C-alpha cells in the first residue's frame, strides 16, 4: 500500500462550533492505482487530500505513507516526502506568478538540489509531454486556465513522484478542457506508473478512474 | 532556476512597495551618513588640533575656552607674560602665537569657522607646522606682508605663490602654500606675528602679543612638572599639558559621538520598523505563494532565505542610494555653513565621508534589514497550507 489511513479524523473549531471535516476515514490505496474521491462541495475531500499529502495533521487517527506511520516523523521529513514522493495539483493551479512556465516546473527540482542543467532538460521534457513546448517562457498570467493546469501537472510530475494528489483539477476549466486535462493526467500517470488520487465532484472525472470512493459529511462510503 | 532570481522577480513585481521601502531605507541612510560624516569630520578636525603641539605645553589666559591646542574664545597675553614664561625654571622656549578663527566672510557670519589665522614669530614656523613642507616654489615669510596659505584657501580664491590680495585694508603677498591635507592647515592663513597683531588689534595700544604661548622644556622634565611651575609662578595663565588638553575636549567629543550614536540608533530602529511592516504586508499578500512552496516541499530555511534575501536586497539598494545622497548632502551642508565652494569639498570627499563610514553604514544597514526580515521570514514559514490553498471558502 502506498497510502493507508486508520480512523483518520480531522476536526476544526469554527467559533463555538466544532466541525468534523473527516470522520474516522479508513482507506487503503495500492501503488499504481488511480482513485477518485467523489463528493459534494464541503464533504471533506480537500481535507482528506491534505491529510494524505501531509499538508495537514489529523486530530486523531493515522496516515501511513509507504507503510510508514507519518504522525511520528518530523516536519523536515514531511517536507522531504512532499518534495520527493508527492506531486500536488490544485484547482486554482497555484503557480508562482513571477516565474515562467519553465521555471515553475524547475522549482521542485531546484528545491531538491537537482543540477541546473538537468532541471532545464527535465522541465522542457515535462512541459513537452503536457503539450506546452511552445509556451516555456510564458508567465502564468499569459496562459489560459487549461495551460496553467498543464503547467501544474508538469510541475507535479517534475520530481517523478510516486503519488499525485489532484484537488478538483478540472474545477476552473470548461468541460472540454477538463476532459483533456483528466486524460492527460491519466495517460502520464499510467506511463510513469504513478498512483493518482483525484478529489472531484465531477462524476465524469470519477468515471474514468479505476476506483471510486464517495465522501459525504466527512465519512467515506465505498 | 535559482532561488535568488525568484527573489528579484518578487521585488520587481511589487514595484511601488519595493520603491517605497527602498526610499524609506535611503532616507534613513541619508541622515545617518550626512550626520555621521559631518560630526566625524568635525571631531577629526578637533582631534587634528592636538597633533600640532603634542609633547608641548600650551599657555593661555585663565578662563580662555580652549579646543585642544587652540584658544577659541578668551583673553590675550601681554609681552611681559611671555618673558615671565621663558624665565620659568626648566622652560627652553616660549613662542607666542595669535590665533583667530574666522566666522565671518564679508558681512555674513558662518555657523562653522571657515578659516584660521595664525600669527607666528619669524623663524618659529615649525612650532606650528612641524616638518610639513610648502608646495614647490614657496618659502616661509621673510617680511611682514608675506603670508603662507592652506591649500583649500589658496584654491578657493585662486591664489598662487607671488599673488597679492587685500585683507582688512592691508596688502599681503602669498609666499608659500602648505603641502598638507590636515583639516586645520587646509584653511589656515599663517602670517608673521606682527602682521597678525596689525590685522587683529589695529587700534589697540595695549601691548598684547598674542593669545597663546607654546612652551617647550628641558629634557628630563615632564610636561606636568613644568606646567605646575608655570601655574605657580605666572599669574593669570593656565598651562595646558597634552593630557589636560585632551581631558578638556574629551567630554565634548564624547557628547558629539553619543548624540551621533543616538540619532543613528533611532534611525536604524525606525528603518527596522518600516522594513518589518512593509515585509509583513508583503508576506500577508503572498501567503498563497508561500503555502504553495510549502506544499511542494520547500524546506523552511529556503522560504526563510527567500524573504530575508528580498529584504536585504532592498536594504542594500536603499543603502547605496542613501550613501550617495547622504555624502553629497554632507558636503553640501558643509559648503553652505562655511561658504567654502562645493567643488573644494567634492575634490576631497573621502576626507569628509570616510570609506570606513561608508563600509560601516553599508554593513549596518544590510544587517538591520536582515534582522528586520526575521519576523516576516518566520511568518512566511508558518503559513497554514491547508487554510491558504483551499479553493472553497
Amino acid at each position: 500500500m502506498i497510502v493507508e489511513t486508520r480512523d483518520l479524523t480531522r476536526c476544526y473549531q469554527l467559533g463555538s462550533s466544532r466541525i468534523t471535516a473527516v470522520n474516522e476515514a479508513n482507506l487503503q490505496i495500492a501503488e499504481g492505482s488511480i482513485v477518485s474521491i467523489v463528493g459534494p462541495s464541503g464533504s471533506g475531500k480537500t481535507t482528506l487530500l491534505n491529510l494524505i499529502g501531509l499538508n495537514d495533521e489529523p486530530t486523531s487517527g493515522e496516515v501511513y505513507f509507504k507503510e510508514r506511520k507519518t504522525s511520528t516523523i518530523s516536519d523536515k521529513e514531511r517536507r522531504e516526502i512532499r518534495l520527493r514522493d508527492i506531486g500536488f495539483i490544485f484547482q486554482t493551479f497555484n503557480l508562482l506568478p513571477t516565474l515562467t512556465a519553465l521555471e515553475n516546473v524547475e522549482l521542485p527540482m531546484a528545491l531538491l538540489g537537482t543540477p541546473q542543467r538537468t532541471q532545464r532538460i527535465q522541465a522542457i521534457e515535462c512541459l513537452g509531454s503536457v503539450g506546452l513546448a511552445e509556451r516555456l517562457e510564458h508567465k502564468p498570467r499569459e496562459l489560459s486556465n487549461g495551460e496553467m493546469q498543464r503547467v501544474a501537472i508538469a510541475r507535479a510530475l517534475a520530481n517523478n513522484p510516486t503519488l499525485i494528489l489532484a484537488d478538483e483539477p478540472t474545477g476552473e476549466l470548461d468541460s472540454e478542457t477538463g476532459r483533456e486535462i483528466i486524460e492527460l493526467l491519466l495517460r502520464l500517470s499510467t506511463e510513469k506508473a504513478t498512483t493518482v488520487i483525484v478529489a472531484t465532484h465531477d462524476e465524469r472525472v470519477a468515471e474514468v478512474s479505476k476506483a471510486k470512493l464517495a465522501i459525504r459529511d466527512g465519512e467515506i462510503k465505498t | 532556476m535559482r532561488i535568488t532570481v525568484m527573489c528579484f522577480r518578487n521585488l520587481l513585481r511589487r514595484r511601488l512597495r519595493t520603491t517605497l521601502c527602498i526610499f524609506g531605507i535611503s532616507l534613513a541612510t541619508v541622515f545617518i551618513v550626512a550626520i555621521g560624516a559631518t560630526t566625524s569630520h568635525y571631531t577629526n578636525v578637533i582631534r587634528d588640533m592636538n597633533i600640532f603641539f603634542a609633547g608641548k605645553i600650551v599657555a593661555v589666559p585663565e578662563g580662555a575656552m580652549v579646543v585642544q591646542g587652540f584658544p577659541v574664545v578668551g583673553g590675550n597675553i601681554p609681552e611681559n607674560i611671555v618673558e615671565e614664561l621663558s624665565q620659568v625654571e626648566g622652560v627652553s622656549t616660549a613662542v607666542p602665537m595669535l590665533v583667530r578663527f574666522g566666522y565671518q566672510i564679508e558681512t555674513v557670519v558662518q555657523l562653522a569657522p571657515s578659516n584660521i589665522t595664525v600669527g607666528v614669530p619669524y623663524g618659529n614656523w615649525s612650532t606650528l607646522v612641524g616638518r610639513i613642507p610648502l608646495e614647490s616654489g614657496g618659502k616661509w615669510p621673510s617680511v611682514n606682508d608675506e603670508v603662507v596659505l592652506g591649500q583649500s584657501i589658496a584654491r578657493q580664491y585662486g591664489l598662487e605663490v607671488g599673488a597679492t590680495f587685500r585683507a582688512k585694508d592691508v596688502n599681503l603677498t602669498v609666499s608659500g602654500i602648505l603641502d598638507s591635507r590636515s583639516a586645520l592647515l587646509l584653511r589656515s592663513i599663517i602670517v608673521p606675528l606682527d602682521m597678525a597683531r596689525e590685522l587683529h588689534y589695529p587700534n589697540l595700544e595695549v601691548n598684547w602679543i598674542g593669545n597663546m604661548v607654546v612652551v617647550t622644556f628641558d629634557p628630563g622634565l615632564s610636561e606636568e612638572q613644568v606646567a605646575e611651575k608655570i601655574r605657580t609662578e605666572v599669574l593669570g595663565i593656565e598651562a595646558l599639558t597634552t593630557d589636560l588638553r585632551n581631558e578638556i575636549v574629551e567630554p565634548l567629543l564624547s557628547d558629539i559621538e553619543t548624540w551621533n550614536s543616538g540619532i543613528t540608533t533611532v534611525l536604524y530602529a525606525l528603518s527596522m520598523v518600516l522594513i518589518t511592516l512593509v515585509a509583513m504586508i508583503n508576506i500577508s499578500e503572498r501567503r498563497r505563494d508561500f503555502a504553495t512552496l510549502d506544499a511542494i516541499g520547500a524546506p523552511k530555511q529556503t522560504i526563510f532565505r527567500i524573504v530575508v534575501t528580498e529584504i536585504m536586497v532592498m536594504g542594500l539598494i536603499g543603502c547605496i542610494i542613501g550613501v550617495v545622497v547622504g555624502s553629497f548632502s554632507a558636503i553640501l551642508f558643509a559648503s553652505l555653513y562655511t561658504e567654502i565652494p562645493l567643488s573644494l569639498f567634492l575634490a576631497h570627499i573621502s576626507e569628509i565621508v570616510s570609506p570606513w563610514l561608508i563600509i560601516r553604514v553599508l554593513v549596518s544597514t544590510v544587517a538591520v534589514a536582515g534582522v528586520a526580515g526575521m519576523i516576516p521570514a518566520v511568518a512566511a514559514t508558518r503559513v497554514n497550507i491547508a487554510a491558504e490553498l483551499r479553493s472553497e471558502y
Side-chain angles (χ1 to χ4, degrees):
Chain A
M1 293 297 147
I2 188 164
V3 174
E4 185 180 352
T5 67
R6 290 184 195 162
D7 298 328
L8 191 64
T9 301
R10 181 68 168 101
C11 302
Y12 294 105
Q13 197 68 38
L14 260 182
S16 56
S17 52
R18 191 173 166 84
I19 310 285
T20 304
V22 173
N23 192 12
E24 297 191 347
N26 289 293
L27 286 177
Q28 286 192 332
I29 295 171
E31 215 155 325
S33 57
I34 297 168
V35 179
S36 59
I37 301 172
V38 187
S41 215
S43 58
K45 304 186 294 295
T46 300
T47 305
L48 181 60
L49 234 51
N50 276 330
L51 290 167
I52 293 171
L54 311 183
N55 277 339
D56 197 3
E57 289 185 40
T59 310
S60 65
E62 277 297 342
V63 174
Y64 290 82
F65 186 83
K66 291 184 174 174
E67 319 289 338
R68 195 170 170 205
K69 194 176 181 179
T70 59
S71 61
T72 53
I73 62 175
S74 66
D75 178 66
K76 193 180 169 191
E77 285 173 298
R78 293 166 80 89
R79 285 169 188 273
E80 186 107 359
I81 291 173
R82 289 205 295 269
L83 186 58
R84 286 178 189 280
D85 293 315
I86 304 175
F88 287 92
I89 299 167
F90 306 96
Q91 179 179 345
T92 47
F93 329 122
N94 291 329
L95 300 176
L96 294 184
T98 53
L99 304 184
T100 62
L102 187 64
E103 288 164 342
N104 263 291
V105 180
E106 284 176 350
L107 183 61
M109 292 186 266
L111 294 171
L112 200 59
T114 309
Q116 264 191 295
R117 195 174 151 72
T118 316
Q119 285 176 35
R120 182 75 18 138
I121 294 166
Q122 288 184 1
I124 292 171
E125 199 179 297
C126 282
L127 282 165
S129 69
V130 297
L132 287 179
E134 305 298 315
R135 311 284 273 169
L136 304 180
E137 298 302 328
H138 288 72
K139 297 237 171 103
R141 66 172 184 274
E142 297 159 348
L143 301 171
S144 68
N145 282 359
E147 286 171 328
M148 281 198 272
Q149 197 60 297
R150 284 167 191 265
V151 177
I153 291 171
R155 180 179 69 184
L157 291 167
N159 282 339
N160 292 315
T162 47
L163 173 66
I164 287 185
L165 300 172
D167 185 12
E168 300 276 11
T170 60
E172 297 280 311
L173 310 175
D174 60 66
S175 56
E176 177 59 23
T177 313
R179 188 184 54 76
E180 282 172 19
I181 288 294
I182 287 300
E183 281 172 6
L184 176 70
L185 182 59
L186 297 180
R187 175 173 63 79
L188 292 174
S189 58
T190 309
E191 280 171 18
K192 296 181 182 253
T194 312
T195 309
V196 180
I197 304 175
V198 185
T200 183
H201 63 267
D202 185 343
E203 286 293 340
R204 290 169 307 167
V205 174
E207 277 165 20
V208 293
S209 57
K210 292 169 188 166
K212 182 173 145 184
L213 298 170
I215 186 166
R216 186 173 286 272
D217 299 328
E219 288 184 13
I220 291 188
K221 304 173 192 310
T222 48
Chain B
M1 221 262 342
R2 290 176 191 276
I3 299 297
T4 41
V5 172
M6 199 159 82
C7 298
F8 280 105
R9 301 252 185 91
N10 289 333
L11 292 177
L12 289 173
R13 186 172 174 228
R14 289 166 173 81
R15 284 192 190 90
L16 181 64
R17 189 165 311 134
T18 303
T19 309
L20 283 175
C21 193
I22 288 174
F23 176 74
I25 297 166
S26 305
L27 202 61
T29 314
V30 165
F31 283 106
I32 290 166
V33 172
I35 294 170
T38 308
T39 53
S40 68
H41 176 60
Y42 283 100
T43 52
N44 286 342
V45 171
I46 291 169
R47 289 209 165 91
D48 190 27
M49 287 177 177
N50 209 31
I51 61 169
F52 288 94
F53 310 118
K56 293 170 186 165
I57 295 166
V58 172
V60 292
E62 265 181 359
M65 183 183 162
V66 177
V67 176
Q68 298 288 39
F70 296 90
V72 180
V73 180
N76 296 306
I77 296 177
E79 268 182 38
N80 67 306
I81 292 289
V82 181
E83 191 59 33
E84 280 182 44
L85 281 167
S86 60
Q87 282 169 10
V88 172
E89 193 189 339
V91 170
S92 304
T93 59
V95 179
M97 288 189 193
L98 178 59
V99 176
R100 279 287 181 269
F101 287 87
Y103 286 88
Q104 194 167 339
I105 290 180
E106 291 169 355
T107 54
V108 185
V109 177
Q110 310 303 319
L111 286 171
S114 60
N115 61 61
I116 172 173
T117 308
V118 189
V120 183
Y122 290 109
N124 287 288
W125 314 111
S126 64
T127 306
L128 175 68
V129 298
R131 294 181 176 183
I132 292 170
L134 297 175
E135 285 185 358
S136 68
K139 66 176 183 66
W140 287 101
S142 53
V143 291
N144 214 27
D145 63 352
E146 285 184 333
V147 56
V148 165
L149 298 178
Q151 272 180 355
S152 175
I153 286 206
R155 305 281 184 269
Q156 180 179 354
Y157 294 102
L159 297 169
E160 295 190 355
V161 173
T164 57
F165 65 98
R166 200 163 170 77
K168 295 193 177 180
D169 297 327
V170 178
N171 285 323
L172 296 169
T173 304
V174 181
S175 69
I177 294 168
L178 279 168
D179 189 5
S180 164
R181 295 300 306 160
S182 150
L184 199 78
L185 292 180
L186 277 171
R187 303 297 300 173
S188 63
I189 303 164
I190 302 171
V191 292
L193 184 58
D194 288 345
M195 176 53 74
R197 290 164 69 191
E198 195 180 324
L199 289 170
H200 290 286
Y201 310 130
N203 303 315
L204 283 178
E205 291 181 7
V206 213
N207 199 15
W208 301 127
I209 193 161
N211 56 357
M212 63 181 282
V213 180
V214 180
V215 176
T216 58
F217 45 89
D218 297 339
L221 293 172
S222 71
E223 273 186 77
E224 195 43 59
Q225 284 173 322
V226 180
E228 196 49 48
K229 277 188 181 169
I230 293 172
R231 284 181 208 121
T232 320
E233 293 177 24
V234 186
L235 293 178
I237 287 293
E238 180 57 64
L240 305 171
T241 60
T242 310
D243 287 346
L244 193 54
R245 296 196 300 267
N246 279 328
E247 275 174 34
I248 292 169
V249 87
E250 224 30 74
L252 173 69
L253 294 178
S254 162
D255 278 357
I256 292 172
E257 275 167 17
T258 305
W259 273 97
N260 189 22
S261 306
I263 291 168
T264 304
T265 308
V266 169
L267 288 170
Y268 275 134
L270 288 174
S271 306
M272 205 184 275
V273 171
L274 172 88
I275 296 168
T276 307
L277 286 175
V278 172
M280 285 305 283
I281 295 167
N282 212 340
I283 299 305
S284 72
E285 280 184 4
R286 288 163 58 199
R287 295 179 74 82
R288 213 174 167 86
D289 290 354
F290 290 116
T292 303
L293 280 168
D294 222 340
I296 62 176
K300 268 187 176 178
Q301 57 268 38
T302 303
I303 297 173
F304 189 91
R305 187 158 59 89
I306 289 169
V307 177
V308 172
T309 305
E310 285 178 22
I311 294 166
M312 285 174 81
V313 166
M314 286 195 287
L316 185 64
I317 296 170
C319 181
I320 291 168
I321 296 169
V323 164
V324 173
V325 179
S327 304
F328 188 75
S329 306
I331 59 170
L332 187 66
F333 293 145
S335 170
L336 283 175
Y337 59 67
T338 58
E339 287 287 317
I340 298 169
L342 194 60
S343 57
L344 288 175
F345 283 112
L346 273 175
H348 301 284
I349 190 168
S350 63
E351 284 166 19
I352 295 179
V353 188
S354 68
W356 165 237
L357 175 73
I358 292 174
I359 292 168
R360 208 179 60 194
V361 170
L362 277 172
V363 171
S364 309
T365 310
V366 174
V368 162
V371 173
M374 297 285 181
I375 297 170
V378 169
T381 62
R382 290 188 178 169
V383 168
N384 183 334
I385 313 173
E388 293 304 327
L389 297 184
R390 281 189 80 86
S391 46
E392 297 166 350
Y393 279 99

